[in-house]
Amino acid sequence: MARVTLRDVAAASGVHLSTVSRVIRGDTTRIRPETVARVWKHAGSLGYRTDLWAASLRSGRTNIIGMLVPRITDVVLATVFESLEEEAARNDYLVLVASTWDASDKRRAALERFVARRVDGVVIADAQVSDSDVQEIADRGLPVLLVSRRTGELPFVNGDDRGGGAQAGEHLAQLGARDVVVIGGPDYASTSRDRAGGFVDAFRRAAPDGEVRVIPAGFDVESGSRVMQGLVEDGRPDGVFVVNDFAAIGAMSTMVNAGIRPGRDIAVVGYNDIPISSRLATPLSSVRADLPAMGRAAFHAIRQLIDGQAVESTFVATELVVRESSAAFVAPVAG
């Protein structure tokens, strides 16, 4: 069967070839809506399909976006990616994803592969606070958008991590916790710094008589468990804020093994509200961001950058979801 061409669509719709070409490209400025509708109606009935390779040669674009994540198995960034990819598909873009494991050599190699494949722009979810690799790619003229983490002055779409941490700090202070520990993440991640910083500032304002310590760790179960084991041995706190739910789950597991009741003996709040958090033996209080909204916003922001438009950085609102891991806490009586 012969391939349907733009000339076939033009003949069927009774519209000039150049007008059909503009409609198919999405350039409908000064074209009447009824003409646009007629072109698409006949294109659909004839089975016309856009030749993306030819379009790429003409426009200099590939309609491909690259995305870097620390690891695609991370449920938080996987959710962001799925939403971004779905929105991209609705707009005829393809998204390529690469896991970097937060390793600079893997990141540089992935970025070079993206450049070699002529991606139109890159969404980076593994940026570090001081990040020359990301800045170098941006300096080369490739549109770059950050998501989840921040670095330098590059535009980003992030959850309001500082505000989320503040909600957790106010919550533990209101419960009466006064000896509080923050189990942080890696210091190179803005998410860790912002969540911990927001918590500390809010807790100190709400509980000036309280004490708060920040202990750096990782974003994984083992890190949370290891830090909590040290706290159990050295004198346990009455409140714990963990900047990642997986690490919070590790911390609560260690509490249980030590005979400590999460939520009663120690108030615990995590971050990200991953699906399993509400299904634990002691459901975990956690700060939630609208991750699908973050993915959709990230696609439209990178597309604006690709089109040469300025983009303002965006914070997606966060919400503290209170469950048994903190709601059941009874503050110790002073004396």
Side-chain angles (χ1 to χ4, degrees), residues 14-333:
V15 175
H16 194 276
L17 177 62
S18 62
T19 302
V20 171
S21 177
R22 287 173 57 200
V23 170
I24 296 298
R25 292 200 312 269
D27 178 12
T28 57
T29 305
R30 294 190 300 277
I31 300 177
R32 289 180 298 179
E34 57 268 29
T35 301
V36 174
R38 188 162 71 251
V39 168
W40 281 118
K41 175 184 175 182
H42 287 284
S45 64
L46 291 171
Y48 176 79
R49 295 290 182 270
T50 304
D51 185 337
L52 294 178
W53 177 247
S56 165
L57 293 176
R58 289 193 300 271
S59 67
R61 294 186 181 180
T62 60
N63 276 35
I64 299 175
I65 296 168
M67 183 172 183
L68 296 182
V69 297
R71 51 197 171 280
I72 196 59
T73 53
D74 181 316
V75 66
V76 174
L77 291 175
T79 302
V80 173
F81 169 71
E82 287 173 357
S83 177
L84 187 153
E85 184 183 40
E86 184 177 337
E87 194 71 10
R90 278 197 287 263
N91 290 272
D92 291 325
Y93 274 80
L94 174 69
V95 184
L96 304 179
V97 64
S99 297
T100 66
W101 297 93
D102 278 319
S104 58
D105 57 336
K106 293 182 184 297
R107 150 101 64 68
R108 283 193 293 269
L111 285 171
E112 291 303 330
R113 288 196 300 272
F114 286 162
V115 170
R117 283 162 176 76
R118 297 176 52 237
V119 299
D120 294 334
V122 180
V123 176
I124 296 179
D126 70 338
Q128 301 188 6
V129 173
S130 298
D131 205 320
S132 58
D133 292 337
V134 172
Q135 190 61 55
E136 179 186 347
I137 287 293
D139 290 343
R140 287 162 63 174
L142 186 65
V144 171
L145 178 78
L146 308 179
V147 68
S148 183
R149 300 183 189 172
R150 301 178 292 109
T151 188
E153 300 300 319
L154 294 172
F156 60 79
V157 176
N158 286 3
D160 181 9
D161 289 318
R162 192 168 187 88
Q167 291 177 62
E170 292 168 359
H171 176 60
L172 290 188
Q174 289 167 0
L175 290 174
R178 290 298 180 265
D179 181 9
V180 172
V181 169
V182 177
I183 300 179
D187 195 49
Y188 58 72
S190 65
T191 47
S192 175
R193 291 190 180 190
D194 290 346
R195 293 168 190 175
F199 179 94
V200 169
D201 288 348
F203 181 80
R204 285 177 172 162
R205 284 195 302 269
D209 57 331
E211 294 185 5
V212 57
R213 294 170 285 160
V214 178
I215 302 177
F219 292 137
D220 58 281
V221 172
E222 292 75 14
S223 294
S225 178
R226 184 179 63 254
V227 171
M228 195 66 229
Q229 185 60 49
L231 294 173
V232 168
E233 294 170 356
D234 295 340
R236 72 190 194 206
D238 53 22
V240 174
F241 172 55
V242 193
V243 301
N244 176 282
D245 278 357
F246 285 111
I249 290 169
M252 290 202 300
S253 175
T254 296
M255 292 179 198
V256 171
N257 291 337
I260 299 169
R261 298 170 298 173
R264 292 190 177 274
D265 301 324
I266 300 178
V268 183
V269 177
Y271 206 104
N272 286 324
D273 195 29
I274 60 177
I276 197 175
S277 297
S278 63
R279 297 174 173 83
L280 300 170
T282 301
L284 176 63
S285 296
S286 187
V287 178
R288 173 193 298 166
D290 189 341
L291 301 177
M294 194 182 300
R296 290 190 296 271
F299 169 74
H300 290 290
I302 188 64
R303 188 175 185 181
Q304 284 182 261
L305 290 170
I306 291 168
D307 290 341
Q309 301 175 32
V311 169
E312 291 188 6
S313 293
T314 301
F315 285 109
V316 175
T318 52
E319 172 193 8
L320 174 63
V321 180
V322 177
R323 301 191 180 98
E324 189 178 336
S325 72
S326 63
F329 177 72
V330 178
V333 178

